Amino acid sequence: MTPLILILVSYLIGSLSFAVIVSKASGLADPRSYGSGNPGATNVLRSGNKKAALLTLLGDALKGWLAIVLAQVAASYLGLGPEVIAMAAVAVTVGHMWPVFFSFKGGKGVATAAGILLALDWRVGLLTLLLWLVVAKGMKISSLAALLAALLAPVLAWIWLPSSAQITAVVVISLLLIWRHERNIRDLLTGKEGSIGEKASGAS
Ligand code: G3P
């Protein structure tokens, strides 16, 4: 029963869409109604409100981190295997992408995945984040940075994560994240993908 509760709690934590919550609290429009329509920090930044974008990024990363830490604590107190932590990682990602509180219209999982990776192993999290930062700063395209980070994460997970269940979870999360970037991949291939911070109309 406990693993099921942990998975459910992780899903519910993931379902807190900080892009929508922070936007509402900041008097901004629902990010699903402008720009790319994605409830994520990159799209909130298109509103021009940097503070709201940063809070979205931190909130979404924190929930990924929290779900893993909760699962780690529960696993160590109750003597559960690493599979529970792996399942919590996938569940919090699924919650973010298909949130029960927001009509199942969620984000692409980038910030949440960063929080998950940092909690699973700081080296995996930090190096993945570093690649994201280098590409985002150098190329100024958020989705490209996310996609390259999603390719790197499973390799780093394979090197450092202690169990095959957790490595598999990282592979599944990367595949989900790439799938959610389907439109971005098409726009990248046709040269139509916009730069980070380009403003969108209809955000306030
Ligand atoms: O974090 C999501 C990012 O990789 C792409 O967002 O709004 O440009 O589709 P967006």
Side-chain angles (χ1 to χ4, degrees):
M1 192 61 193
T2 315
L4 265 184
I5 293 172
L6 270 173
I7 290 165
L8 184 66
V9 169
S10 302
Y11 171 76
L12 293 176
I13 292 173
S15 287
L16 296 169
S17 176
F18 280 92
V20 182
I21 297 167
V22 169
S23 294
K24 201 166 189 150
S26 313
L28 298 170
D30 187 319
R32 293 170 297 180
S33 69
Y34 64 86
S36 67
N38 183 55
T42 301
N43 202 33
V44 173
L45 188 61
R46 292 191 180 103
S47 71
N49 189 327
K50 288 186 184 161
K51 192 174 151 204
L54 183 66
L55 285 174
T56 300
L57 179 73
L58 291 177
D60 281 346
L62 196 68
K63 73 183 181 187
W65 180 85
L66 181 67
I68 300 307
V69 171
L70 274 178
Q72 285 168 336
V73 170
S76 94
Y77 271 93
L78 302 169
L80 303 169
E83 299 79 23
V84 161
I85 298 162
M87 287 189 278
V90 175
V92 69
T93 305
V94 169
H96 176 80
M97 293 177 175
W98 296 280
V100 66
F101 307 130
F102 297 97
S103 326
F104 300 100
K105 287 185 185 138
K108 298 181 182 177
V110 180
T112 303
I116 291 169
L117 294 178
L118 281 168
L120 285 177
D121 187 296
W122 66 270
R123 294 161 297 190
V124 178
L126 213 64
L127 285 176
T128 308
L129 258 181
L130 201 67
L131 177 70
W132 189 94
L133 272 174
V134 168
V135 178
K137 214 169 161 39
M139 309 286 290
K140 307 252 178 292
I141 303 177
S142 178
S143 60
L144 182 64
L147 287 163
L148 292 177
L151 293 177
L152 176 69
V155 178
L156 299 177
W158 179 71
I159 297 171
W160 279 305
L161 291 188
S163 81
S164 55
Q166 291 181 24
I167 298 168
T168 306
V170 173
V171 172
V172 170
I173 292 167
S174 282
L175 289 174
L176 286 172
L177 191 146
I178 292 167
W179 179 35
R180 296 290 282 180
H181 280 77
E182 193 191 344
R183 196 268 310 153
N184 306 84
I185 294 170
R186 252 186 284 122
D187 285 353
L188 280 167
L189 292 174
T190 52
K192 280 194 245 154
E193 186 72 333
S195 301
I196 291 180
E198 269 174 9
K199 294 231 178 95
S201 56
S204 51

